[in-house]
Structures are given as C-alpha cells and as structure tokens.
Amino acid sequence: TPHSAPEYLDQDPANKYLTIPGYSHDGNGTVIFDQPSGMHGWTCGNMVANTRDVAQYMYALLVERSILDEETLRLMTDTRPISIGWGTGMLEYGAGLFIQQVQPKKRTTPVLGEWGTTLGHGGDTFGFVSDQGWIPQLNASWSYAGASDTPYWSFSLTCNMISALAKVILGNSTIDCSFKEILV
C-alpha cells in the first residue's frame, strides 16, 4: 500500500495542508483553518499526515521493528515518569514515545501491559487533537485525529476504542472508561 508523505507545517495558511477546519475550546469556538500554520509549531511535531499511514508507521516501528535500529528504538522506549508539569503522575516519557493509561480511575504512573495502557504519542494543538500508538494486549496499532481541542475527549476515545476492541477480539473487557467524575 503506498504511503503519502507527511507534511510539516510552516508559515503557509493551515488550509494549505488541512481538508477540514479545527475548532478551539477557547470559549469562543474559534475556527482554526486560515491562520498561519506556524502557530501549531509548539507541539505535535508540526506534522500533518493521514491516520492510516500513521497507524502503519506505529506498527512498523513498534511491532515489526523495521524502521529504526535497535539502539534508537531502545532510547525511544526507555521511559521514565514525568515528574514536573503537565503529565506528572500520568505519563512515562521516552525519546519521542510515552506510555499512557487512558482509564480515568487509573490515572497513575502507567505500567505497559495493563489494560488501557498504550505506547505511542498523542498530539494536542490549537483546534486539533490526535493519539496514536500500540496496544500490547491486542498487538494492534491505531491513529486518529480530531478537529477539536476539547479537553479529555481524546482519552475517552482511546479508552472506549480499546474497550470495544477487547470485547470484539477477546469476548470481554474490564476497562472502565467512565469520565463523569473528571468532567464535573
């Protein structure tokens, strides 16, 4: 299957690279589409790609191990708990990859191999959010992108996706994706 090359945003209008606008959770619902794309440069690697290609990349990187040499991959997956700032107590970060637990009632330092825990990298910028990575128990990779930066919905989406896949593939799921307490 041919892959499309990712685009890296620069100072062109964002709509040069995007097919739909994003919506910011800034209280005004600001539409993100024709602003200079450099405004997204502080996060997300400033990359735009289709989600199928990103999911295939994650599988090749983490399962097939066909993209990087073993030493580089070891550095990326050698994670440590984040101890300062955003993600403290919720993420283990390596060199470009992190382990996250998406079950809201288990928002503690994640352990790869527990249900609801993934290895990958999310993205969050003005008007957009994404999540991608590998689910060890299912030996599956995924990627999605959303046109809103509303807080918490990306964790909810990933959690519910893992729960649904576990039900279909394994016949059951013990994952609790209830975000009610967090959103109140």
Side-chain angles (χ1 to χ4, degrees), residues 4 33 43 45 49 60 96 102 108 115-116 120 128 137 143 148-149 154 169 178:
S4 59
F33 199 56
T43 188
V102 296
T108 58
W115 277 106
F128 300 93
Q137 298 88 337
S143 176
S148 172
D149 59 15
S154 62
I169 295 169
S178 172

Side-chain angles (χ1 to χ4, degrees), residues 62 73-102 106-114 116-122 131-132 134 155:
L62 298 171
L73 189 56
R74 187 193 66 72
L75 290 170
M76 292 181 77
T77 58
D78 183 17
T79 62
R80 301 286 181 347
I82 291 181
S83 58
I84 259 179
W86 185 89
T88 300
M90 297 186 321
L91 297 175
E92 289 232 347
Y93 211 97
L97 292 174
F98 58 71
I99 299 172
Q100 67 179 348
Q101 171 57 261
V102 296
K106 291 189 174 185
R107 300 298 289 209
T108 58
T109 302
V111 177
L112 193 61
E114 289 182 356
T117 304
T118 66
L119 175 63
H121 203 293
D131 201 14
Q132 42 276 317
W134 174 60
F155 286 113

Side-chain angles (χ1 to χ4, degrees), residues 95-183:
L97 292 174
F98 58 71
I99 299 172
Q100 67 179 348
Q101 171 57 261
V102 296
Q103 293 184 80
K105 293 179 182 171
K106 291 189 174 185
R107 300 298 289 209
T108 58
T109 302
V111 177
L112 193 61
E114 289 182 356
W115 277 106
T117 304
T118 66
L119 175 63
H121 203 293
D124 188 352
T125 191
F126 300 111
F128 300 93
V129 68
S130 69
D131 201 14
Q132 42 276 317
W134 174 60
I135 306 161
Q137 298 88 337
L138 300 173
N139 197 30
S141 62
W142 89 98
S143 176
Y144 66 79
S148 172
D149 59 15
T150 302
Y152 297 112
W153 79 263
S154 62
F155 286 113
S156 178
L157 181 60
T158 301
C159 188
N160 282 287
M161 175 197 64
I162 294 170
S163 181
L165 287 170
K167 285 177 187 173
V168 169
I169 295 169
L170 304 174
N172 65 10
S173 174
T174 59
I175 298 173
D176 180 2
C177 298
S178 172
F179 278 75
K180 183 185 281 185
E181 295 83 9
I182 291 175
L183 299 176

Side-chain angles (χ1 to χ4, degrees), residues 51-96:
T51 55
R52 179 180 178 196
D53 289 346
V54 175
Q56 289 174 335
Y57 170 84
M58 286 296 194
Y59 194 84
L61 176 69
L62 298 171
V63 177
E64 295 172 346
R65 299 177 170 276
S66 60
I67 294 179
L68 300 173
D69 63 67
E70 283 299 316
E71 176 60 14
T72 303
L73 189 56
R74 187 193 66 72
L75 290 170
M76 292 181 77
T77 58
D78 183 17
T79 62
R80 301 286 181 347
I82 291 181
S83 58
I84 259 179
W86 185 89
T88 300
M90 297 186 321
L91 297 175
E92 289 232 347
Y93 211 97

